[in-house]
């Protein structure tokens, strides 16, 4: 089994990948490619080299598609944050068939970083679950209507930093009208 891996951070900075000018590429075809918090749209020539691309999106794609799902959920007062594991089949943004959705409450009495830490612990569990299911040949996913989901444009850097560095989410006072790029 050939595996590929793309790992980024919440601000979209590339950490590890066979890369050239920060654009992902594969030298040869790959059976499975895992993507986590990459912040870039994969191009067709890359997608076509992979039999399966599995994205670990740090948000619920039904309510928070886009580059900054947890900050957007906080900004809009959502009660839940989540992780969606979905397939990437084309250049659409967080629009592929869903394998898993995990939701948990946002703790507005805590900091952003405390909430993110809880989300990352769940990511470890989901990664093991997905790897086990792949190993045992149990890849099951469902298609959904991306037109009924909510996409958020990337947040302005200063707004994103204010949310990420907050000590208590309930004390944030940000106008939603001034948040996107």
């Amino acid at each position: 089994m050939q595996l590929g891996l793309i790992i980024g951070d919440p601000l979209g900075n590339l950490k590890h990948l066979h890369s050239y000018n920060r654009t992902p590429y594969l030298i040869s075809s790959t059976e499975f490619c895992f993507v986590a918090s990459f912040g870039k749209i994969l191009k067709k020539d890359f997608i076509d080299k992979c039999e399966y691309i599995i994205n670990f999106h740090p948000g619920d794609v039904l309510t928070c598609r886009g580059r900054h799902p947890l900050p957007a959920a906080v900004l809009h007062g959502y009660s839940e944050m989540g992780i969606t594991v979905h397939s990437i089949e084309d250049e659409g943004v967080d629009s592929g068939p869903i394998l898993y959705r995990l939701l948990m409450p946002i703790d507005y009495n805590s900091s952003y970083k405390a909430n993110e830490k809880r989300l990352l612990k769940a990511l470890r569990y989901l990664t093991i679950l997905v790897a086990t299911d792949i190993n045992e040949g149990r890849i099951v996913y469902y298609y959904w209507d991306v037109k009924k989901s909510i996409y958020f444009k990337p947040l302005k850097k200063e707004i994103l930093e204010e949310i990420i560095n907050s000590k208590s989410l309930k004390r944030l006072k940000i106008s939603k009208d001034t948040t996107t790029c």
Side-chain angles (χ1 to χ4, degrees), residues 34-37 54-58 83-86 123 126-127 130-131:
F34 296 91
V35 180
S37 196
I54 298 172
N55 185 35
F56 291 81
H57 176 71
I83 299 173
T84 306
V85 182
H86 67 88
L123 178 61
L126 280 173
T127 303
V130 169

Side-chain angles (χ1 to χ4, degrees), residues 27-41:
I27 295 170
S28 62
S29 64
T30 298
E31 190 172 352
F32 287 97
C33 182
F34 296 91
V35 180
S37 196
F38 185 56
K40 299 266 184 214
I41 305 301

